[in-house]
Amino acid sequence: MLTRIDHIGIACSDLDKTVEFYRATYGFEVFHSEINEEQGVREAMLKINETSDGGASYLQLLEPIREDSAVGKWMAKNGEGVHHIAFGTADVDTDSEAIRDKGVRVLYEQPRRGSMDSRITFLHPKDCHGVLTELVTAANPAAHKDEEDH
């Protein structure tokens, strides 16, 4: 089942300024960055720590690149701030089905590609006490080892 907090997603209007805040204030460095066209965001993953299951915990900073993206629409209503929480799992397919069987709406019929080639799905916030919840199966961590230097 769920093994860790994979990341906290934070919506921001200026990714570069927000990255600089977390770097200057807390010393967090960018582990990975990308543009996810499907999700309509430019993002940076700031590694917080390693975890006992071989994964890591991150802050995910998300800047919408389109107003009609999910993050863009959310920011239009809420402004900057915590957008979602993500839990790590070894098997997003099995765990999302088990959670669906408990009556929680899973937003994607099949998991999709997420940051760093992970596999993800989301749970409906109305079924999770107002919290948009993401389930994440990380890609092979060794595949991204070189990104720690970026």
Side-chain angles (χ1 to χ4, degrees), residues 40-115:
V41 295
R42 188 174 143 224
E43 65 179 87
M45 297 293 273
L46 287 69
K47 185 186 254 182
I48 307 305
N49 66 312
E50 303 289 330
T51 59
S52 62
D53 67 356
S57 292
Y58 304 91
L59 288 181
Q60 179 186 44
L61 305 179
L62 301 159
E63 175 187 3
I65 58 173
R66 299 188 313 265
E67 289 180 14
D68 69 339
S69 69
V71 174
K73 290 177 187 176
W74 185 88
M75 282 187 65
K77 290 182 193 173
N78 302 291
E80 294 184 305
V82 174
H83 179 261
H84 66 275
I85 186 168
F87 294 108
T89 172
D91 187 346
V92 69
D93 297 277
T94 298
D95 287 341
S96 63
E97 282 304 313
I99 290 169
R100 179 181 277 131
D101 290 346
K102 294 176 182 177
V104 175
R105 288 174 280 179
V106 178
L107 299 183
Y108 302 154
E109 193 60 39
Q110 297 294 318
R112 298 180 182 179
R113 181 198 170 277
S115 299

Side-chain angles (χ1 to χ4, degrees), residues 26-38:
Y26 306 115
F28 298 151
E29 295 294 332
V30 174
F31 176 77
H32 174 84
S33 62
E34 69 179 82
I35 295 175
N36 186 322
E37 293 288 344
E38 181 183 355

